[in-house]
Amino acid sequence: MPDRHGPLRANRFRIELDGIQIGGFRRVEIPTQRTEQVEYREGNDPTHDRALGGKTVYDDLILERGSKQENSEMFDWRQTVVEGNLDDARKEIAVILQDEQGESHLRWNFTKAWPKEYQPPSLNSGAGGGDNVAVETYVITFDEMERKDV
């Protein structure tokens, strides 16, 4: 069936950690995926190099959420890494993009993911409006990223 509603909106998404939905996220940066370029030239080639594909690399997944006492699962996950239990810390995490009715359409799966960085909120007594939310940031690294239709 053809798409009659255009592109999906960037503000309709959800996060799953090991298959369990966790909420409260206000911003997600899905990482860039790129393949490194390798220069190659044989002795009898012309004076220019040939571009070959090298290894594929990913940036980090970045998750931001409002600070709440009930939002402890991400910090607890980070603490597993701090305590040196990296094997236990590796989890599957997914970002799911939804339509206006809440139906899932696109999914990014991240395998063997673990939080390598935690950024506590910046506090400012003079902030007002939308800037008055304490936000925690988690930087997630992973082994592999897969994008698929749902």
Side-chain angles (χ1 to χ4, degrees), residues 81-94:
V81 174
V82 171
E83 293 165 1
N85 299 323
L86 192 55
D87 287 340
D88 293 339
R90 290 183 180 272
K91 298 182 182 278
E92 307 301 310
I93 191 165

Side-chain angles (χ1 to χ4, degrees), residues 51-85:
L52 301 175
K55 68 179 181 176
T56 297
V57 295
Y58 307 96
D59 290 337
D60 294 320
L61 172 64
I62 299 175
L63 306 174
E64 287 184 359
R65 75 189 308 193
S67 299
K68 281 177 56 174
Q69 185 176 5
E70 297 82 17
N71 287 352
S72 64
E73 63 275 300
M74 293 294 293
F75 189 77
D76 293 343
W77 185 25
R78 172 68 188 142
Q79 283 305 110
T80 304
V81 174
V82 171
E83 293 165 1
N85 299 323

Side-chain angles (χ1 to χ4, degrees), residues 27-41:
R27 189 174 78 87
V28 173
E29 275 186 44
I30 296 172
T32 299
Q33 175 195 69
R34 67 186 163 282
T35 301
E36 294 176 346
Q37 177 179 322
V38 177
E39 301 289 329
Y40 173 75
R41 185 170 163 246

Side-chain angles (χ1 to χ4, degrees), residues 13-23 25 28-31 61-63 74 77 91-98 104 106-113 140 142 144-148 150:
F13 62 90
R14 63 187 174 92
I15 306 296
E16 289 181 359
L17 184 60
D18 274 349
I20 299 170
Q21 183 173 330
I22 52 177
F25 292 95
V28 173
E29 275 186 44
I30 296 172
L61 172 64
I62 299 175
L63 306 174
M74 293 294 293
W77 185 25
K91 298 182 182 278
E92 307 301 310
I93 191 165
V95 178
I96 299 105
L97 191 58
Q98 301 172 310
S104 300
L106 289 175
R107 179 183 183 102
W108 290 267
N109 293 321
F110 303 91
T111 59
K112 296 185 181 177
I140 312 297
F142 52 90
E144 193 172 351
M145 177 177 87
E146 173 192 37
R147 177 194 184 269
K148 64 182 205 173
V150 179

